[in-house]
Structures are given as structure tokens and as C-alpha cells.
Amino acid sequence: MARNTSLYFRIVEGRNLPAKDVSGTSDPYCIVKVDNEVVARTATVWKNLSPFWGEEYTLHLPMGFHSLSFHVMDEDTIGHDDVIGKITLSKEAIGSQAKGLDCWLNLTRVDPDEEVQGEIHLSLELLKDTEKISLRCQVIEARDLAPRDISGTSDPFTRVIFNNHSAETSIIKKTRFPHWGETLELELDPEELREEGMVTVEVWDWDMVGRNDFLGKVEIPFACLHKTPPLEGWFRLLPLGNNEVDDGGKLGALRLKVRLVEDRILPSVYYQPLIDLLVESVISPTEVEDSSALTMLEEVNTVESRQDVAMTLVKIYLGQGLVVPFLDYLNTREVNNTSDPNTLFRSNSLSSKAMEQFMKAVGMLYLHEVLKPIINRIFDEKKYIELDPCKIDLNRTRRISFKGAVSEAEVRDSSVEMLQSYLTSIIESIVGSVDQCPPVMRVAFKQLHKRVEEQFAEPENEDVKYLAISGFFFLRFFAPAILTPKLFQLRDQHADTRTSRTLLLLAKALQSVGNLGLQLGHGKEQWMAPLHPIILRSVASVKDFLDKLIDIDHDIVSEVPQRAVFMPSVTVKEGFLHKHKAEGPQLLSRFAYKKRYFWLTSETLSYAKTPEWQVRSSIPIQCVCAVERVDENAFQQQNVMQVITQDNEGQLHTMYIQSKVY
């Protein structure tokens, strides 16, 4: 039985961050650490003190963890990035919330004495004889200590303290993996045996000039040393003390969603009865009102877990080749239990969530083909666009004519023209994409169209069968991707404030297109009226598109593999590293490395002499057999890892990569 710790977290947004730049603003981003190891970095939101990120991450940590921290930084083009503040959550604090954390948390100051990492290997025992009583501490070694010096290393020594007694080891220069192998003894008075205090082992970085830097400490109850045999093991280094104060929100706050799930995973054979029950529910469906494994699952899951349940079910049925019958089963129940067509699929039911997860699983490549050129154009042009009279800022516009100051009417007219151009391109791209849409999506929508038409056959409900499909297609798939392109991997960075506003207006307009223009003029945003004509003109082409979309043979799905489609190649990380390719057993010298620019994408690890260099060497991710950190003692160099790859002939190759940035 395997154990798996899954950590789900979403960095939603920040508010009231302090200004770090001379312009009176900041360029914030977040770094996420698990036990002081960086695991994620958000995009930078430029010139914003209340940034929105909305970035989600899932980490699988089979060995568990101790703490999760979020560091908010201000990106600077020149010099080092500024630290704004941090939030640290212990594993216990996260695990104590069954439904997870979802709240605003104030940032605290970053204290170097709190930023510790690593472990120390100790052996402690209490020696008693007729002549003396002593506390013996063997300081063996330490590993992965925090780098405190500019060289990226430290000069560590250890101090053992009990009551007024103390002793120190020697100093080991320029290392984060020191080996002392020293024994320290503290002579105690007989009355001190009754003490109930703590034995403290501190690790410090020695500095020739200025005060020494704290590297961490271990506290062991003195009472534990009365037992035999000697206490020995690796101990995690802890901060100096809990000095985190939120300063009353002066550093701003983050809204976070964090959830911890610890699973025990059985061999797959134990899950087969459940798979059989789920398969039977869609292969041999009972009457809609009758109970089945799926209906019971729908009844017992909570609103908070519904998305996770839907995602898991979609993956299961995709793997079984039964995703269309599965969606048809849920949609049929939803349609038959809905009396008012205006409320159809408007809630976050299991069927609605399953359709959303299904479209993301199989339709992301299709989404990129349709939207990416237009999204790139919007980002590149960076037009100032605004329709709301209350939000038009004449100071942010470029001069439209040479006749004088730009008026609100000119800004509005220019905005309408640009929005019409963008919206026309989006609609034309979507309605012309029938052949690009994955067949399994088209068949699923065909079944949905059929169920809705059967339930709402009255002439006055003629549009319901279109609205059911367009509600998913436009409102839950394309519109969210336009609103936040980064979350759909359409862009590597979040949009700036100007582009974000343009995307929001376009997303609103596309939602109206998905509603077939039926709600135009009934909302509060009457300033969107200039776009109403183009929305109404698009209704006929959208209906024609939906008719063509479902004009597909149902049996074609059996000929096409039903599986999740991976995202297009996305750059996860890039930057300069130092590379050495091992040609055989040999020691690495300081000059064996060559500086190269690396790109890690979802498909390849590639590198070249410079970012602009035309020739790149690439390694497909599937050819990477292992990546592991190299012990500093191996080559007496820090931050080295080895990448083991396999070529087409099955030969293994090792490449060493070193980071020079600490």
C-alpha cells in the first residue's frame, strides 16, 4: 500500500501591497516553498498593488512535508528583486481544516533568522560515574544548510547549550554539507539532573566581519537523555523562534486556497469492483429515477469536492472509452429533473462540472488553435479600450488626432471600433472551427442536443437546445479562456491592466453571444449597447455552427481514441545554467562547465549558447530517466544535479547541470 500526500493550493490575489518602486507601485509575483525548497513561481503582475493571479498548483509529496510558505516579491529589472513579505503555514495548520483554507492572510516580515533549512546528525547521552556527571554530544554532520555567504555557501559551526554550560565545534569553511565528527562534553552538577529544561544545539555561520548568521537549532528535552541507549538520529533544524507578526496588515495580504489530502493508495486490483460498478451504470443504465453507483456518488459529494470528483470521473471514463455514455447519463438526469428551461445547467451540479472538466481534458489543443492568434494580437497591440463612461481615463489614452485633447466620445468610438474588430475575429474563428473540434466533443454535444430537444419540445423552447450547448461552449470554455489566458496556457504571463480590461469586455460580449443575445438590454451595463448589433448579427451564424457541430456520426467516437489531450508545449522555466556532459568516469574540474541557456517545457529540455542562438540541442521529456541532486561533497561544488537520459539505442547518458544563482 502506497501513501501519497497531495497539496492543492491556489494563489488567488493580493491587496494593499506596499509600493517598492519609485513610481509608487510594485511588480509583484509569488514564490512558493515547501520546506524552504522553491516549488512554484507565479507570473509577475506589473504595476499593481492589488494583483490578481488565480494560479492553481497540485503537488504530490510522497515523503510528506513540514511547512508551506508564500513569499511575495517585487520584480526589478535592475538589481535584486525586493522582498515584500511572506506567509507560512504549517502542515498541521493546513491539515486541521477538513475543507481546506480559503481566506485572506496578512503578510509578515521576512526575518533571516526564520529562513532556515537542513538537518543535523547528532548523538546525545548522559554519562554518570562516581567522579563526574557529563552530557556528551557527538556532532557528526549536517546537510542542506542555508547559504548565508555571497559565495552561496556558509562557514558553519555548532554550539551545544544546557543551562549555563556551552561548547562549540570547529568551523568548517565554505560548505553547506559540513562533517565535524566531534564530541562535545558539558560537565553537570548533580542537582542539574533534576532539571526539566531543554538541551539546545545551534548551528551558526561564522563571519569574520559582523555578527554570525543563524542557521537553525534543535531542542531536545533533557528528560529524554535519562533513557538508554543514546539518542541518535537526523534532526530537522528549526527557526530561532516564532517572531512572525503581521504588522496589522501593513505589508498587505494574500487570498489563498490551500487543501491537504493524504491518501493511502491500494494496488489497482482493489479498485476494480468500483470501476465495474461505474462502468455498469453507463453501459446498462436503469431508469433515470433509479439509483446507481453514479447517482449515489452524486448525492454524497459536497459542493467543495464536486470539481475534483468530476475530474476523476472524467479521467476514469476516458480511460474506459465510455466518456460519452457517462456524460449522457448525467446530462439526461439533469435535463429530466429540470422543469424550467431557463435554469438548465445553471448550477454547479456534477453534470455541469463533468462537462467543464471534459472540455478541458480533450479540447485544449482545439482551444489554442482557435483563440491563440487573436489573444496574441490583443496582447501585442495593447490598445486602451473602455466603454464605461465612469472608467474612461483620458490621461491613459494616446492622442487620436492633432485637433487637440482627446474627448470621451473619441475614446468611446475608438474602443467600439477595436472591440468590434476583435469580437468579429473571435466569432469568425469559432464558427469556422467545426472540423477542428475533437470528434468526441462533437458527439457529446450531439447527445446533449438530443436530450434537451426531447424534454423541451414545445415551439416556444426552440432555442433551448442551442443554449444548452452554447452555455458550455461559450460561457464555460471560450469566455473564461479569453478572460484569463494564462490559466489556459494561452500566454506565459498575466495581462497588464490595460489588456485585462480589453479581455474582460470581450469575455462579456462573448457571453452574450453564447446566450444568443436573449438577455441584451436587461442588465445594468447599458454602456455595452454599441456591441449589441454585432452580437445580434452573430446569432444566426452561431446557430448554424452548432447545427454543423452536432452533424456527426455517433459511431465515429469508437474509431478515435478517447483520452485526455495534453496541453500544447508550455515553457515551465528558462534561464542560464552551467552544463557538463559526462564522457566517462572522471572528476569535474571548475572549468569543465559551459554556460548555456536552458528551456524546460512540457515536452522538451533544450539548450543553446544564448537565448537568440538559432541552433538548439533538445532532449524529449520522455527520454529523461532520472533527475537528482548531487551531494556537494561529490565534486566540492554547490547546486549541481545530474540528468540521466536514454537515447534511441537504449544507451544511458549523464549530464551535469549547475546553477550559479543562489
Side-chain angles (χ1 to χ4, degrees), residues 590-613:
R590 180 178 300 179
F591 307 104
Y593 289 90
K594 294 181 179 179
K595 189 176 181 180
R596 294 291 183 264
Y597 196 86
F598 277 78
W599 295 265
L600 175 62
T601 75
S602 53
E603 295 180 352
T604 63
L605 173 67
S606 56
Y607 55 91
K609 287 186 176 181
T610 65
E612 300 79 20
W613 200 260

Side-chain angles (χ1 to χ4, degrees), residues 136-147:
R136 175 179 293 173
C137 177
Q138 285 185 284
V139 184
I140 304 169
E141 59 183 324
R143 60 191 179 195
D144 197 28
L145 299 180

Side-chain angles (χ1 to χ4, degrees), residues 269-292:
V269 64
Y270 289 94
Y271 296 100
Q272 196 56 48
L274 175 60
I275 298 294
D276 294 340
L277 279 174
L278 294 174
V279 168
E280 185 180 358
S281 297
V282 300
I283 288 182
S284 305
T286 57
E287 294 296 324
V288 174
E289 293 77 11
D290 294 342
S291 295
S292 68

Side-chain angles (χ1 to χ4, degrees), residues 4-10 32-35 37-41 56-65 67-70 258-263:
N4 183 56
T5 301
S6 298
L7 189 61
Y8 305 89
F9 57 91
R10 185 173 192 233
V32 186
K33 296 183 179 181
V34 172
D35 293 343
E37 181 177 349
V38 176
V39 296
R41 182 200 191 278
E56 296 183 4
Y57 302 87
T58 300
L59 299 178
H60 298 291
L61 308 167
M63 299 303 292
F65 69 102
S67 65
L68 174 70
S69 60
F70 302 84
V258 185
R259 185 161 57 91
L260 177 66
V261 177
E262 294 187 294
D263 298 316

Side-chain angles (χ1 to χ4, degrees), residues 200-211:
T200 303
V201 180
E202 298 177 344
V203 184
W204 292 83
D205 166 51
W206 176 82
D207 284 333
M208 181 178 295
V209 180
R211 72 180 185 90

Side-chain angles (χ1 to χ4, degrees), residues 97-115:
Q97 304 293 322
K99 296 182 179 180
L101 296 169
D102 182 359
C103 58
W104 284 94
L105 296 170
N106 287 339
L107 292 165
T108 63
R109 298 187 184 279
V110 175
D111 182 353
D113 288 341
E114 298 298 311
E115 303 302 305

